[in-house]
Amino acid sequence: MLRLPAVAGRFYPSEPSELTAEIRKFAKPDPGTDKLAAKACLVPHAGYMYSGHVAGAVFSRVRLPQKIVILGVRHFPRGEAMATLSSGAWRTPLGDAPIDSSLASALQGQCPLLREDAVAHSAEHSLEVQVPFLQVLAPGFAFVPIALGTVRFEDLVSVGEALARVLAATPDALLVTTSDLNHYEDDLTTRGKDQRAIERLLALDARGLYDICRNENISMCGLGPAVAMLTALSALGRKQAELVRYATSADVSGDRTSVVGYAGLIFS
């Protein structure tokens, strides 16, 4: 199947040269900083105008391999709660990014909860906005898309444990997880809530992140993907985490009355 772009021209430029230039601006490498051989990263998924600089800061620091799993959230109540695709390609203004069929099959074999479903992916932006970054910065890559529409903790742990088994068997693969942080409260409140969530992310504490977001009403839209990622990292014995950049939409819009938080983290 060929998955066509759903948010080109809205979340990111639809003109190829403009899109490439914007990505290179956001992901401009620091000449004095070595790239990290990370196992996973967390990046936001808002429009590039608001969060592209945060995602770019992460991607510029990571050695991007040719095999990538993109773990995102399903914002819309359509399709399977744990949806993947195992063949075809995703089109962006920069061309077609192929799905890694062998890696997808391995993930489905390890996690029967994952279901083949194009509907859940058809309008979902959280994964789509990562693809142009990877097309520019890791040309020739192939990936597996996973969209999670559940926040049932036990199911998220099952996905994370399956990811760990597949990533252990595929040491050159990178897990790109996507989430925005707190939504639509004032800037001061959002920064406080986001700090508490980031502390749990840095501690690789899947249960702690889940509980604090649920108990303190931290509206982290990618809570499910983040819990699955942290579960996988813990199972793999990974302990290193770094906050690369944090921002809110107020940094761009100037409106501090209703903002969204964005964090970029690397796990190695």
Side-chain angles (χ1 to χ4, degrees):
M1 108 169 232
L2 179 62
R3 193 267 190 189
L4 298 175
V7 295
R10 294 191 292 129
F11 278 61
Y12 58 85
S14 59
E15 201 284 314
S17 62
E18 181 186 354
L19 176 56
T20 300
E22 193 161 284
I23 288 169
R24 293 205 181 280
K25 177 186 73 174
F26 287 141
K28 187 176 181 179
D30 183 345
T33 304
D34 292 334
K35 290 184 181 292
L36 298 174
K39 199 62 188 174
C41 61
L42 181 82
V43 290
H45 54 243
Y48 284 12
M49 172 183 177
Y50 293 104
S51 68
H53 65 295
V54 178
V58 171
F59 288 131
S60 70
R61 289 282 313 281
V62 172
R63 282 186 214 151
L64 295 170
Q66 295 293 284
K67 289 180 175 289
I68 295 174
V69 178
I70 307 180
L71 180 61
V73 63
R74 191 198 70 186
H75 284 92
F76 305 102
R78 293 179 295 181
E80 295 287 346
M82 298 188 178
T84 189
L85 293 169
S86 61
S87 63
W90 283 32
R91 178 163 293 170
T92 79
L94 303 179
D96 294 347
I99 290 173
D100 189 317
S101 296
S102 61
L103 188 58
S105 295
L107 280 164
Q108 287 179 303
Q110 290 294 330
C111 187
L113 291 174
L114 290 177
R115 303 295 177 85
E116 189 85 9
D117 179 38
V119 173
H121 287 283
S122 61
E124 178 51 53
H125 67 271
S126 68
L127 293 88
E128 179 182 328
V129 298
Q130 315 309 326
V131 176
F133 271 101
L134 299 171
Q135 288 176 302
V136 171
L137 302 173
F141 84 101
F143 76 111
V144 180
I146 301 174
L148 300 182
T150 181
V151 288
R152 187 172 181 271
F153 186 77
E154 292 77 9
D155 290 343
L156 299 171
V157 168
S158 293
V159 173
E161 291 173 343
L163 281 165
R165 291 190 290 271
V166 173
L167 292 171
T170 317
D172 57 340
L174 173 69
L175 176 60
V176 174
T177 304
T178 176
S179 178
D180 296 338
L181 298 185
N182 197 58
H183 286 62
Y184 308 135
E185 294 187 88
D186 66 86
D187 193 67
L188 184 62
T189 299
T190 288
R191 288 177 184 273
K193 287 188 172 185
D194 287 350
Q195 179 59 40
R196 294 193 286 280
I198 289 167
E199 287 171 358
R200 294 302 89 215
L201 285 161
L202 290 172
L204 275 70
D205 181 3
R207 183 81 231 191
L209 177 66
Y210 184 86
D211 288 344
I212 201 167
C213 286
R214 298 301 290 268
N215 295 337
E216 299 194 20
N217 295 315
I218 302 172
S219 52
M220 179 178 179
C221 59
L223 174 60
V227 167
M229 173 192 69
L230 294 177
T231 300
L233 290 166
S234 295
L236 290 166
R238 301 290 175 138
K239 301 182 183 300
Q240 299 296 316
E242 175 188 351
L243 175 64
V244 176
R245 184 167 292 179
Y246 173 78
T248 74
S249 57
D251 296 331
V252 173
S253 70
D255 178 4
R256 301 192 179 277
T257 62
S258 179
V259 310
V260 179
Y262 313 115
L265 294 97
I266 295 172
F267 303 88
S268 54

